[in-house]
Amino acid sequence: PKSFFKWALGDTQVVPFARFNYDNPDTVKFSELIEHHGVKGLKLHNRPLYNARADYRIMDSPDWNAMYDLCARYGLPILWHLNQRYRDPALVHGANTAETWRGLPYTNEDVLAHFLGIAARHPKTVFLLAHLNFLGNERLARIFNLYPNVNMYCTHWQLRFGERLTDREIEAIRPFAIRYADRIFFGTDFSFHVREKQNDPVWWRNFYQANIRFLKALELPQEALDK
């Protein structure tokens, strides 16, 4: 609604992204949202594609490549939920991703390889892979080294109250966090649509503190922490 865009334009803490489904790339609509409503990025989510048993290569169509080019032209990032967890529904808010993947003729690896081809052909477009793309630090480091326009959006670095990182975990994560500090975007993945208790301000505070607690545990140098 127009009231949302008006509010977002007046609040420097709000950065609206436009979300387009896999089957509706629309450069005209996207340009309008950018130029007239202050949209600052594109959000893509592959779950609807997987649930529909669609061909993942649709994301390399001429219409989608025009969307990626548009982001490069305006200097806007693409936040892409590319790979998907293969987990029990109870762990992913009722989404039966395990059942979905059993019915697909391709794998996360196929999707990742296809995406990297897109990233290579659009070097001026900035891509953020959501949730560390469910990959480990070593795999992400190799991708970062080969594709300077690929970054990651991190939500899973959390420590609840009373938890701690072991020395071995710190040794594995800290060098990665320092080396790629300008390629790691941090966010909570907080949502109003999962649990009613998320309306509780105390729950909000605890959620954010879990993220902050993790970052503090890494004892990052100030330069990396600032980034």
Side-chain angles (χ1 to χ4, degrees), residues 91-143:
L91 302 179
V92 287
H93 317 308
N96 195 340
T97 56
E99 184 63 30
T100 295
W101 279 107
R102 278 194 287 271
L104 293 175
Y106 52 84
T107 68
N108 272 321
E109 288 292 336
D110 296 323
V111 177
L112 177 60
H114 185 254
F115 161 77
L116 292 176
I118 293 173
R121 292 193 302 277
H122 295 272
K124 295 184 179 180
T125 303
V126 176
F127 296 94
L128 286 79
L129 297 178
H131 312 304
L132 294 83
N133 207 47
F134 306 105
L135 299 172
N137 296 344
E138 293 183 2
R139 187 78 180 278
L140 282 168
R142 293 197 296 270
I143 290 173

Side-chain angles (χ1 to χ4, degrees), residues 30-221:
F30 191 27
S31 296
E32 177 187 344
L33 292 170
I34 296 168
E35 295 179 2
H36 301 294
H37 298 292
V39 163
K40 300 297 184 184
L42 173 64
K43 178 176 179 178
L44 303 178
H45 202 311
N46 277 19
R47 181 186 290 175
L49 187 155
Y50 303 143
N51 289 345
R53 304 293 197 269
D55 187 340
Y56 65 93
R57 292 171 294 185
I58 194 175
M59 301 307 296
D60 202 9
S61 69
D63 288 342
W64 273 114
N65 278 281
M67 294 284 280
Y68 310 145
D69 287 337
L70 194 63
C71 286
R73 189 187 317 160
Y74 283 99
L76 304 183
I78 298 175
L79 172 59
W80 199 334
H81 295 64
L82 183 72
N83 282 3
Q84 185 66 315
R85 286 169 288 191
Y86 194 129
R87 294 289 186 271
D88 183 271
L91 302 179
V92 287
H93 317 308
N96 195 340
T97 56
E99 184 63 30
T100 295
W101 279 107
R102 278 194 287 271
L104 293 175
Y106 52 84
T107 68
N108 272 321
E109 288 292 336
D110 296 323
V111 177
L112 177 60
H114 185 254
F115 161 77
L116 292 176
I118 293 173
R121 292 193 302 277
H122 295 272
K124 295 184 179 180
T125 303
V126 176
F127 296 94
L128 286 79
L129 297 178
H131 312 304
L132 294 83
N133 207 47
F134 306 105
L135 299 172
N137 296 344
E138 293 183 2
R139 187 78 180 278
L140 282 168
R142 293 197 296 270
I143 290 173
F144 285 172
N145 292 339
L146 292 172
Y147 305 92
N149 57 328
V150 175
N151 309 272
M152 81 171 192
Y153 163 61
C154 180
T155 57
H156 290 57
W157 284 358
Q158 296 184 352
L159 285 178
R160 292 175 294 184
F161 182 76
E163 294 179 335
R164 61 180 292 273
L165 294 176
T166 66
D167 291 342
R168 183 177 180 180
E169 288 170 330
I170 293 172
E171 290 173 2
I173 299 170
R174 190 173 187 271
F176 174 83
I178 293 172
R179 180 175 182 180
Y180 301 104
D182 56 351
R183 310 280 294 277
I184 299 170
F185 290 77
F186 183 75
T188 63
D189 198 36
F190 195 88
S191 172
F192 286 107
H193 305 293
V194 179
R195 302 180 184 88
E196 183 62 28
K197 66 181 179 182
Q198 287 183 334
N199 295 320
D200 182 349
V202 174
W203 204 89
W204 269 79
R205 182 195 65 194
N206 292 341
F207 196 99
Y208 286 113
Q209 285 182 343
N211 305 129
I212 295 170
R213 197 176 289 118
F214 189 103
L215 290 177
K216 286 183 175 180
L218 293 178
E219 297 186 350
L220 298 173

